[in-house]
């Protein structure tokens, strides 16, 4: 049976889309038939992270009744299937969210896992994305506004009957001004299933339009996401240790143009 | 003190209850929780573990000083006394949390609380001197003077035999301390109120003798007080049904407070979900809309010239998304026999279109901002 998991946050800008994209790729590398659906029809950027922008048929077209969902599924990095939302404001006017459920029914037939990147906030589009899934993963940063919104999202999801798998704490910094993992677990009353460190590699990978787990699998963030993917499907994952080359060795390599 | 304020399990004013009785009852129940005493702007707390007073605060006072302050106001009619339950497993956390207020084991808490008891006894009995109490207790140790002992127990209005024995042993300790130092060992044993008598395992001591005598003597009182116990039971049963506001909830509350976070209210969640559903229509609402639409369409249709009469039926379906059917049956007066034979004239088509437009306009007026509803409501017009 296909698992339909929505990735939601409440607050925007916590790294939800980045995690969804990378988690989708991670699950695909474990051999799971994974589809990532960008349900953020107003602010779509999943396709940017995966380097799949400019697709002719998108979720916009499906929700506008102008295309079938099968035509909006594309193969992305690592074999992950992607349904981009499309970045057309023009199409937004025709979008009918009630069509989302029908579209999902069709795509789950051919997938093991469907990840839905839910829009931020708790507007109608976000709630439609949360309600369409059976399970939900919350994403938050260890900051108060983010936790506050995550708490609200969790309560609403509970009310919608969605099972909450846990919370991912993104951009974790060892800073006393932020909430600790224990405090986050206590406030949200759900387990923290992954802690992703603050990593400049994430922005770099996004700029290249490449998922981090592909571009830099040795980074702490990649390891955390791969571990999360493994945990979700009950697989084992052995973190890839970063190269421990000395500064001089790196400098020599750089001078010789052999950095890669 | 930092304690989880939930719904109190018991609440009364100082003049309505006897604070000593309350403490006795809680002790006999091996109660875990705390008592809040509010007097004007002042507030005091006594944390009880297994029925024993373990920590105390009153405004800026703590420990013994706080207990003394609480003692001084508990009988006032303006003092509100509330009892809050805590799970036994959470007591350690609360003790740690309020360690500043924890009463030292060698403190004189017993003296203060016994002072309270003594005051009560003095009020109720004419014999107010310690020597009288000593006489009573001493006589209670003699098998032949059980009745005297029972009288003391009755005065104390305890709930069951256990608490009676406990109080008596406490009183006895106090008196013995004053009179006979040779009974020091017995006092130490009976000071442990968790199992005041069970722990006294030395055969042949006077305490054991007292126990042996007292058990049958208090049986009658037990029966007498069973009713009182039964009255208390439902109260405690209700408490058991209360949600668990334990250690985790206290911890969570503190963290939430620290970061200025608030839980989302039920109403707020419902409001959010209502937005998602686009507004919830109850069956009553649907019926009202049906009636309203029916009247409006009928009235507008009758305004068309040559319409003799009209009947409108509105059936709205509110299952997943609002949809429906509107049937309009109209009698048009110019329909002569010749017209009927000839078939539907252009006039009839115009009238039908006109009625349909009227119906659509009324629907739009009824569902402002949701004009798409026109697409999901079917309009049938029949002209006779």
């Amino acid at each position: 049976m296909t698992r339909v998991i929505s990735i939601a946050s409440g607050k925007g800008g916590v790294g939800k889309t980045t995690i969804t994209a990378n988690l989708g790729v991670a699950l695909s590398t474990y051999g799971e038939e994974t589809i990532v659906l960008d349900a953020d029809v107003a602010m779509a950027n999943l396709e940017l992270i995966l380097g799949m922008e400019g697709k002719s048929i998108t979720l916009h077209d499906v929700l506008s009744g102008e295309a079938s969902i099968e035509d909006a599924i594309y193969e992305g990095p690592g074999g992950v299937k992607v349904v981009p939302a499309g970045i057309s404001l023009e199409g937004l006017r025709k979008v009918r969210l009630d069509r989302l459920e029908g579209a999902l029914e069709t795509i789950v037939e051919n997938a093991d896992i469907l990840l839905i990147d839910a829009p931020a906030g708790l507007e109608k589009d976000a709630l439609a994305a949360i309600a369409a899934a059976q399970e939900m993963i919350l994403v938050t940063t260890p900051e108060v506004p983010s936790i506050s919104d995550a708490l609200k999202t969790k309560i609403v999801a509970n009310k919608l009957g969605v099972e909450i798998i846990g919370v991912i704490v993104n951009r974790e910094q060892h800073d006393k001004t932020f909430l600790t993992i224990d405090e986050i677990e206590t406030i949200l009353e759900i387990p923290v299933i992954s802690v992703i460190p603050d990593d400049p590699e994430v922005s770099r990978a996004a700029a290249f339009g490449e998922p981090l787990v592909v571009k830099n699998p040795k980074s702490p963030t990649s390891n955390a996401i791969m571990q999360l993917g493994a945990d979700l499907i009950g697989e084992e994952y052995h973190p890839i240790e970063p190269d421990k080359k000395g500064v001089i060795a790196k400098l020599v390599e750089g001078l010789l143009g052999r950095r890669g | 003190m930092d304690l989880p304020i939930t719904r109190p399990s018991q609440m009364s004013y100082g003049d309505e209850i006897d604070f000593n009785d309350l403490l006795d009852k809680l002790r006999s129940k091996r109660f875990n929780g705390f008592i809040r005493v509010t007097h004007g702007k002042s507030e005091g707390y006594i944390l009880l573990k297994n029925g024993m007073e373990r920590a105390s605060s009153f405004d800026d006072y703590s420990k013994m000083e706080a207990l003394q302050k609480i003692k001084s106001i508990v009988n006032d009619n303006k003092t509100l006394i509330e009892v809050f339950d805590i799970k036994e497993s959470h007591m350690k956390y609360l003790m740690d949390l309020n360690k500043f207020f924890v009463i030292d084991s060698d403190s004189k808490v017993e003296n203060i609380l016994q002072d309270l008891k003594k005051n009560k006894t003095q009020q109720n009995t004419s014999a107010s001197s310690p020597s009288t109490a000593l006489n009573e207790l001493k006589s209670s140790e003699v098998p032949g003077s059980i009745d005297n002992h029972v009288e003391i127990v009755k005065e104390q209005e305890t709930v069951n035999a256990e608490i009676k024995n406990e109080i008596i042993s406490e009183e006895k300790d106090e008196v013995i301390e004053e009179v006979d130092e040779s009974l020091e060992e017995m006092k130490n044993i009976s000071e442990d109120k968790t199992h005041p008598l069970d722990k006294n395992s030395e055969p042949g001591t006077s305490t054991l003798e007292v126990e042996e005598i007292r058990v049958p003597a208090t049986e009658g009182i037990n029966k007498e007080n069973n009713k009182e116990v039964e009255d208390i039971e439902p109260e405690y049963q209700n408490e058991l049904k209360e949600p668990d506001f334990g250690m985790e909830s206290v911890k969570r509350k503190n963290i939430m407070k620290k970061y200025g976070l608030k839980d989302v209210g039920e109403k707020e969640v419902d409001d959010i979900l209502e937005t998602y559903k686009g507004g919830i229509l109850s069956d009553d609402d649907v019926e009202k809309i049906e009636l309203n639409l029916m009247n409006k369409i009928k009235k507008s249709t009758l305004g068309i010239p040559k319409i003799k009469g009209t009947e409108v039926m509105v059936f709205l379906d509110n299952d997943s998304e609002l949809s429906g059917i509107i049937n309009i049956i109209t009698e048009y007066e110019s329909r002569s026999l010749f017209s009927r034979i000839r078939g539907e004239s252009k006039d009839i088509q115009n009238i039908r279109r006109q009625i349909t437009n009227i119906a659509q306009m009324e629907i739009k007026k009824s569902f402002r901002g949701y004009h798409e509803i026109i697409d999901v409501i079917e309009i049938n017009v029949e002209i006779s």
Side-chain angles (χ1 to χ4, degrees):
Chain A
M1 193 184 160
T2 309
R3 288 178 73 180
V4 182
I5 305 169
S6 66
I7 316 285
S9 66
K11 189 180 177 298
V14 296
K16 181 171 27 54
T17 305
T18 306
I19 288 170
T20 311
N22 282 284
L23 184 60
V25 176
L27 289 167
S28 284
T29 58
Y30 288 121
E32 296 288 311
E33 191 68 43
T34 309
I35 299 177
V36 180
L37 183 137
D38 189 356
D40 196 347
V41 285
M43 297 284 177
N45 51 22
L46 183 86
E47 56 207 81
L48 299 176
I49 289 168
L50 293 172
M52 298 177 71
E53 65 269 30
K55 297 293 175 194
S56 54
I57 299 170
T58 65
L59 187 66
H60 260 123
D61 304 304
V62 178
L63 299 185
S64 307
E66 290 166 8
S68 69
I69 188 74
E70 291 94 335
D71 298 331
I73 302 174
Y74 301 89
E75 185 149 338
V80 66
K81 302 275 191 325
V82 181
V83 180
I87 316 172
S88 148
L89 283 174
E90 199 182 319
L92 195 58
R93 280 184 237 132
K94 300 181 209 164
V95 162
R96 276 182 59 181
L97 286 166
D98 52 304
R99 291 191 178 120
L100 180 65
E101 214 168 312
L104 294 185
E105 277 173 20
T106 310
I107 55 175
V108 294
E109 285 169 12
N110 301 312
D112 296 322
I113 297 173
L114 170 65
L115 293 180
I116 303 173
D117 181 23
L122 284 171
E123 296 299 315
K124 197 169 179 173
D125 52 350
L127 293 172
I130 293 169
Q134 304 135 3
E135 298 170 274
M136 188 180 88
I137 294 174
L138 266 176
V139 180
T140 183
T141 58
E143 293 151 301
V144 175
S146 178
I147 299 290
S148 174
D149 290 354
L151 179 62
K152 204 180 279 185
T153 309
K154 184 212 115 180
I155 293 167
V156 171
N158 276 338
K159 193 100 178 176
L160 286 168
V162 178
E163 188 193 328
I164 299 166
I165 298 171
V167 59
I168 299 172
V169 180
N170 195 22
R171 297 196 202 118
E172 159 70 353
Q173 298 172 50
H174 296 291
D175 190 323
K176 284 181 180 173
T177 54
F178 298 128
L179 281 87
T180 63
I181 301 305
D182 184 46
E183 284 175 331
I184 293 168
E185 272 188 338
T186 307
I187 289 171
L188 297 177
E189 296 174 306
I190 47 172
V192 170
I193 53 170
S194 182
V195 179
I196 298 172
D198 195 25
D199 189 351
E201 285 295 318
V202 176
S203 319
R204 205 169 297 163
F208 282 96
E210 232 178 309
L212 186 69
V213 288
V214 174
K215 184 169 170 56
N216 191 349
K218 292 170 188 171
S219 77
T221 300
S222 291
N223 276 317
I225 291 173
M226 289 301 289
Q227 182 65 61
L228 172 65
D231 291 344
L232 278 177
I233 55 168
E235 285 277 334
E236 257 192 51
Y237 174 70
H238 301 288
I240 306 170
E241 294 293 324
D243 295 332
K244 288 175 181 170
K245 286 178 187 171
V247 178
I248 295 169
K250 282 183 183 174
L251 185 67
V252 171
E253 276 188 3
L255 288 169
L256 295 172
R258 277 190 285 163
R259 286 187 74 180
Chain B
M1 287 204 286
D2 253 342
L3 295 164
I5 305 297
T6 56
R7 210 183 75 177
S9 58
Q10 196 176 331
M11 191 165 67
S12 40
Y13 283 95
D15 59 336
E16 292 169 357
I17 59 154
D18 189 295
F19 196 69
N20 298 322
D21 281 352
L22 175 68
L23 287 175
D24 289 342
K25 281 177 191 173
L26 297 178
R27 190 169 297 176
S28 72
K29 290 265 176 194
R30 298 172 61 78
F31 174 79
N32 286 304
F34 62 95
I35 301 170
R36 179 165 72 173
V37 179
T38 313
H39 183 78
K41 287 180 182 174
S42 301
E43 208 170 66
Y45 295 91
I46 301 174
L47 184 64
L48 296 118
K49 188 180 176 187
N50 290 328
M52 302 304 298
E53 301 78 11
R54 295 295 188 199
S56 180
S57 76
F58 186 83
D59 289 346
D60 294 335
Y61 298 95
S62 61
K63 303 178 184 179
M64 301 305 299
E65 285 178 323
L67 269 181
Q68 276 170 339
K69 291 281 172 191
I70 291 170
K71 176 193 154 188
S72 66
I73 56 153
V74 286
N75 294 323
D76 196 300
N77 62 355
K78 287 175 186 167
T79 303
L80 180 67
I81 299 164
E82 294 160 289
V83 181
F84 299 86
D85 290 13
I86 302 284
K87 266 195 162 187
E88 189 182 356
S89 55
H90 302 148
M91 287 305 294
K92 191 180 178 304
Y93 172 75
L94 286 176
M95 293 279 286
D96 288 344
L97 193 68
N98 296 293
K99 58 185 174 189
F100 177 75
F101 305 97
V102 171
I103 300 160
D104 305 330
S105 55
D106 58 346
S107 69
K108 294 176 179 172
V109 60
E110 293 310 318
N111 294 342
I112 288 177
L113 294 168
Q114 288 197 8
D115 277 353
L116 274 169
K117 282 179 190 143
K118 253 169 46 177
N119 291 342
K120 164 76 180 163
T121 314
Q122 282 164 3
Q123 280 167 16
N124 291 348
T125 61
S126 56
S128 58
S129 68
S131 59
T132 316
L134 171 68
N135 289 337
E136 281 175 1
L137 275 169
K138 279 197 169 176
S139 65
S140 73
E141 288 172 24
V142 182
S145 59
I146 293 168
D147 291 343
N148 290 340
H149 165 64
V150 169
E151 206 173 306
I152 297 166
V153 177
K154 275 182 180 174
E155 280 169 7
Q156 293 189 351
E157 297 170 2
T158 50
V159 179
N160 56 31
E162 188 185 348
I163 193 162
K164 285 184 190 79
N165 292 336
E166 185 184 323
I167 291 165
I168 291 158
S169 69
E170 283 167 14
E171 285 179 356
K172 183 184 65 158
D173 291 341
E174 201 176 298
V175 176
I176 285 166
E177 192 180 11
E178 288 174 29
V179 180
D180 190 354
E181 284 181 11
S182 66
L183 292 173
E184 187 65 32
E185 191 185 337
M186 186 174 74
K187 176 200 161 204
N188 292 337
I189 294 162
S190 56
E191 260 182 352
D192 186 349
K193 282 180 236 39
T194 316
H195 297 288
L197 294 168
D198 295 346
K199 284 190 178 178
N200 190 350
S201 58
E202 283 183 41
T205 63
S206 58
T207 314
L208 186 66
E209 285 165 18
V210 170
E211 165 67 0
E212 282 168 1
I213 298 158
R214 279 172 190 168
V215 171
T218 51
E219 271 176 9
I221 301 161
N222 282 343
K223 282 174 191 170
E224 196 178 287
N225 288 320
N226 271 349
K227 196 184 167 190
E228 195 179 339
V229 174
E230 278 165 16
D231 291 341
I232 296 162
E233 278 306 317
E235 193 180 307
Y236 278 86
Q237 279 166 6
N238 288 337
E239 285 162 19
L240 290 172
K241 288 171 193 167
E242 289 292 308
D244 178 19
F245 296 102
M247 187 170 72
E248 279 303 314
S249 69
V250 174
K251 188 181 170 188
R252 185 170 182 267
K253 196 182 150 196
N254 287 338
I255 298 170
M256 299 275 279
K257 197 175 168 186
K258 180 181 167 187
Y259 292 104
L261 291 165
K262 281 181 185 172
D263 260 323
V264 186
E266 191 81 7
K267 194 183 174 299
E268 197 180 342
V269 176
D270 286 343
D271 287 347
I272 291 167
L273 291 173
E274 198 167 318
T275 317
Y276 164 55
K277 288 168 188 168
I280 298 162
L281 280 177
S282 68
D283 287 345
D284 286 347
D285 292 335
V286 172
E287 276 178 27
K288 280 178 197 166
I289 295 168
E290 283 176 344
L291 193 67
N292 197 26
L293 264 179
M294 208 154 55
N295 290 334
K296 281 184 172 179
I297 294 169
K298 191 173 181 178
K299 197 176 167 189
S300 301
T301 309
L302 286 171
I304 300 170
K306 295 184 182 176
I307 296 285
K308 280 171 72 178
T310 188
E311 281 305 323
V312 180
M313 285 169 284
V314 180
F315 306 102
L316 294 180
D317 181 8
N318 191 32
D319 279 348
S320 53
E321 196 173 330
L322 193 66
S323 60
I325 299 171
I326 298 177
N327 292 328
I328 306 166
I329 303 163
T330 303
E331 201 178 341
Y332 186 56
E333 68 176 9
S334 72
R335 289 213 79 186
S336 60
L337 182 65
F338 179 70
S339 303
R340 287 179 194 188
I341 293 165
R342 201 178 59 177
E344 204 168 81
S345 71
K346 207 174 178 181
D347 285 353
I348 298 297
Q349 284 175 13
N350 287 340
I351 291 290
R352 179 172 283 120
R353 199 181 314 122
Q354 211 173 336
I355 292 171
T356 306
N357 287 341
I358 284 169
Q360 285 184 341
M361 212 182 301
E362 292 302 340
I363 294 166
K364 281 184 181 179
K365 276 187 202 170
S366 298
F367 296 92
R368 286 177 199 280
Y370 185 41
H371 292 169
E372 297 87 347
I373 193 142
I374 290 297
D375 302 335
V376 290
I377 294 185
E378 187 186 327
I379 301 167
N380 301 316
V381 181
E382 195 179 308
I383 299 171
S384 57

